[in-house]
Amino acid sequence: MTRKLGIVFFFLLFFSFFLSDNIVLGLHELEYRIEVHIDGSARWVIEHRFLLETEDDETMFAQYSNWTYFSDYLIKNVKALVNAAKQNTSRNMTVENFKMTVDVSDSYRAVKYEFDWIKFAEETGSHIKIGDVFEVDGLFLYGNGTLNMTYPADYVVEIVSPKPN
């Protein structure tokens, strides 16, 4: 039996509340990956990729790859985001397993942040509804990054709003 997956996206610039004071300079790519699991939890990966061509590129990379920025700023703000979503959805959400990795190769750099968001989506047995967390005031994706979302293989997308591009 094919299970159904309802996806409702309300995010124009999600996460900018914790990245908003950063100006994107030089070649910088941003990607969000959300892997939704059958139980409604999700593994989030936020990856910044840089081609270091200028001093500004180096400065931005240094900020994103700084452990203090990760532990004191990003983790704190993700936890605040999850708490706000918890209040809005009435689901007992938590966030755990934070990890930061930095990849350095010649002039190319990548900084990857990962975490597990427990109860990210609403699971009702045969349906997983993704998206109500994005209805929280002030929550949105940052910049011109891409979002790639995966879901369990036995599910099919039933509804998407707004239409993805």
Side-chain angles (χ1 to χ4, degrees), residues 72-144:
D72 293 351
Y73 192 65
L74 187 124
I75 291 174
K76 175 184 168 190
N77 286 296
V78 168
K79 287 181 177 181
L81 166 117
V82 171
N83 190 50
K86 177 180 179 178
Q87 299 301 315
N88 193 57
T89 64
S90 299
R91 286 198 303 279
N92 192 23
M93 298 177 173
T94 58
V95 64
E96 56 191 39
N97 301 322
F98 284 93
K99 179 180 174 184
M100 179 179 77
T101 56
V102 178
D103 182 27
V104 176
S105 174
D106 296 323
S107 62
Y108 173 82
R109 306 284 189 271
V111 179
K112 186 183 333 180
Y113 310 121
E114 300 177 63
F115 55 90
D116 294 318
W117 186 332
I118 310 306
K119 302 278 187 192
F120 166 75
E122 183 179 3
E123 183 274 325
T124 61
S126 63
H127 286 78
I128 300 173
K129 181 182 177 187
I130 301 168
D132 60 350
V133 299
F134 299 110
E135 295 176 24
V136 177
D137 288 338
L139 303 182
F140 37 93
L141 290 168
Y142 171 71
N144 292 322

Side-chain angles (χ1 to χ4, degrees), residues 49-69:
R49 292 180 293 271
F50 303 89
L51 181 60
L52 303 182
E53 296 179 326
T54 68
E55 239 180 83
D56 289 336
D57 298 339
E58 291 277 355
T59 301
M60 191 165 74
F61 168 73
Q63 178 184 356
Y64 283 115
S65 61
N66 181 287
W67 180 256
T68 301
Y69 172 83

Side-chain angles (χ1 to χ4, degrees), residues 10-74:
F10 291 97
F11 50 128
L12 300 172
L13 299 172
F14 180 69
F15 277 117
S16 71
F17 74 99
F18 68 87
L19 297 173
S20 62
D21 52 343
N22 300 309
I23 298 171
V24 177
L25 303 168
L27 181 58
H28 171 239
E29 295 177 2
L30 175 61
E31 179 184 13
Y32 298 90
R33 292 189 302 273
I34 305 171
E35 179 183 326
V36 180
H37 304 288
I38 291 173
D39 65 357
S41 67
R43 180 70 178 167
W44 279 68
V45 178
I46 304 168
E47 186 169 358
H48 295 270
R49 292 180 293 271
F50 303 89
L51 181 60
L52 303 182
E53 296 179 326
T54 68
E55 239 180 83
D56 289 336
D57 298 339
E58 291 277 355
T59 301
M60 191 165 74
F61 168 73
Q63 178 184 356
Y64 283 115
S65 61
N66 181 287
W67 180 256
T68 301
Y69 172 83
F70 174 68
S71 63
D72 293 351
Y73 192 65
L74 187 124

